[in-house]
Amino acid sequence: MAGSLCSAKLIAAFLLVSAVPFAYLIALELSPPSTHVFHYHGSGFLRECAKWDASGRRFLVSFLEGGVGQVPVPDDDHRSPPSAAAVVLEEATVIKDADLAGNASLGLAVDAGRGRLLVAVADVIGNKYSAVAAYDLSTWKRTFLTQLSGPSDEKSFADDVAVDAEGNAYVTDAKASKIWKVGPDGELLSIIRSPLFIPKEWYRNLVGLNGIVYHPDGYLLVIHTFSGKLFKIDVTNGGEEVKVVDVVGGPLTFGDGLELLSPTKLVVAGNPSGRLVETLDGWQSASVVGRFKGPSHRLATAATVKDGKVYLNHMFGLGYPKKKHALVEAVFST
């Protein structure tokens, strides 16, 4: 009898404790948003990246289970106030390659000038396979697939991708902290390495180079997630000079996806949800000039700009059987 009573108390205690986080999550979900949100129903729970495709008036989203979807946005997408009930948009799968089954689709880059989408692909569990693929934005035909690492290579994890004015793709390796450069037709051109990419503390190398953007002045800006360092890499005239950007108000620890709001302003998605970084000297140095806190339980992982406004992609979708995802407008405050 005493044992049964003890077991019943343990079960009751477990249910009570487990109910607390669920109640908290429900409260967070039911609280009205402070900014505009695009909600959409997706086929899976995990969405790593989202980028706005202006020509197609759609968000393109990467599936952690592999593949890419599109979320078309109607012309009358502006709703006010932010807390007003909004139509939930629908995701449609546009890429699902059988030969990449078991690998995740991660960072995205819209190469508007060439009408294509670049996708970073990686083996999430084993770090045994990394690649970058290009797809036509109209037909979704794959134009190339370049394997960057395999089982016999060092542990690597292709995480994010950027494209320069000539169509070269730059793919970050979040495991070994290097950058693969791939030509417009998919040829592997070079690998950018630097001792600056490797912190002395072993634990800061658990997640290395991550978000990456190409600046129109001919260089890359890259974030190192666990150290919070921001790097400027000059890639003009075949050069690969690496410098650390001196960030006042940094480091940008847990920074994930990057997006340029302008040539002098950079959005860093991550923890907290988003930070706005500004430079006055061509990214020799910079300052954190704004912060935004969105739905932290959904985990911001990427940023994109739509019609001059910043939207943060969030990893986790909630709900069953339909999974509802959130693209949250980031309004930064000092």
Side-chain angles (χ1 to χ4, degrees):
M1 180 67 178
S4 299
L5 182 60
C6 182
S7 297
K9 286 182 177 180
L10 286 174
I11 293 172
F14 172 77
L15 292 174
L16 180 61
V17 171
S18 62
V20 172
F22 284 112
Y24 178 66
L25 288 176
I26 292 171
L28 289 174
E29 278 295 293
L30 294 178
S31 61
S34 60
T35 63
H36 181 255
V37 180
F38 285 107
H39 283 116
Y40 67 93
H41 285 138
S43 57
F45 283 108
L46 302 174
R47 297 292 175 260
E48 165 66 16
C49 185
K51 293 296 178 181
W52 175 246
D53 172 28
S55 63
R57 282 204 58 80
R58 58 192 172 181
F59 289 103
L60 300 173
V61 295
S62 63
F63 304 168
L64 204 65
E65 68 270 23
V68 174
Q70 66 176 4
V71 182
V73 176
D75 292 336
D76 57 343
D77 59 66
H78 297 291
R79 304 178 180 92
S80 182
S83 59
V87 174
V88 179
L89 304 176
E90 295 295 329
E91 168 195 280
T93 300
V94 292
I95 297 172
K96 198 73 173 179
D97 292 335
D99 59 341
L100 292 176
N103 293 297
S105 297
L106 298 155
L108 304 175
V110 176
D111 186 2
R114 294 164 187 80
R116 64 181 186 174
L117 178 72
L118 297 169
V119 184
V121 178
D123 168 20
V124 172
I125 304 300
N127 302 140
K128 294 179 179 179
Y129 180 85
S130 288
V132 61
Y135 300 86
D136 185 276
L137 280 169
S138 299
T139 64
W140 296 114
K141 178 182 178 181
R142 192 169 75 193
T143 57
F144 71 73
L145 172 68
T146 302
Q147 183 172 338
L148 304 171
S149 69
S152 61
D153 301 316
E154 66 179 343
K155 294 286 187 179
S156 296
F157 187 86
D159 194 283
D160 203 0
V161 58
V163 61
D164 68 16
E166 285 72 44
N168 299 302
Y170 301 87
V171 184
T172 54
D173 180 353
K175 182 66 178 177
S177 287
K178 62 181 183 289
I179 300 169
W180 294 281
K181 181 179 179 180
V182 176
D185 297 320
E187 63 276 24
L188 179 59
L189 299 179
S190 64
I191 298 177
I192 303 173
R193 297 179 185 267
S194 171
L196 295 175
F197 294 157
I198 311 297
K200 294 179 180 179
E201 304 89 348
W202 66 267
Y203 55 87
R204 295 191 185 277
N205 291 295
L206 293 175
V207 181
L209 297 185
N210 196 331
I212 184 170
V213 292
Y214 175 75
H215 193 282
D217 288 342
Y219 49 85
L220 304 169
L221 295 173
V222 187
I223 190 76
H224 188 288
T225 294
F226 270 27
S227 73
K229 288 184 178 180
L230 182 67
F231 298 99
K232 176 182 178 180
I233 306 169
D234 188 350
V235 292
T236 58
N237 301 318
E240 296 175 353
E241 182 184 14
V242 179
K243 294 182 179 179
V244 179
V245 179
D246 180 18
V247 180
V248 176
L252 302 171
T253 310
F254 301 121
D256 197 335
L258 302 180
E259 185 72 26
L260 283 170
L261 181 57
S262 75
T264 61
K265 293 182 179 179
L266 177 73
V267 179
V268 182
N271 182 30
S273 296
R275 284 162 282 190
L276 183 64
V277 184
E278 184 176 23
T279 185
L280 300 176
D281 58 8
W283 297 102
Q284 301 298 317
S285 64
S287 300
V288 177
V289 296
R291 289 179 168 82
F292 172 76
K293 184 173 177 57
S296 56
H297 62 295
R298 285 181 176 265
L299 187 60
T301 55
T304 191
V305 176
K306 175 189 178 297
D307 302 328
K309 297 181 178 180
V310 176
Y311 283 87
L312 298 179
N313 172 77
H314 289 74
M315 171 74 79
F316 298 108
L318 300 175
Y320 186 84
K322 289 187 174 182
K323 298 85 175 174
K324 189 167 74 171
H325 294 268
L327 291 159
V328 181
E329 182 186 357
V331 177
F332 298 97
S333 58
T334 56

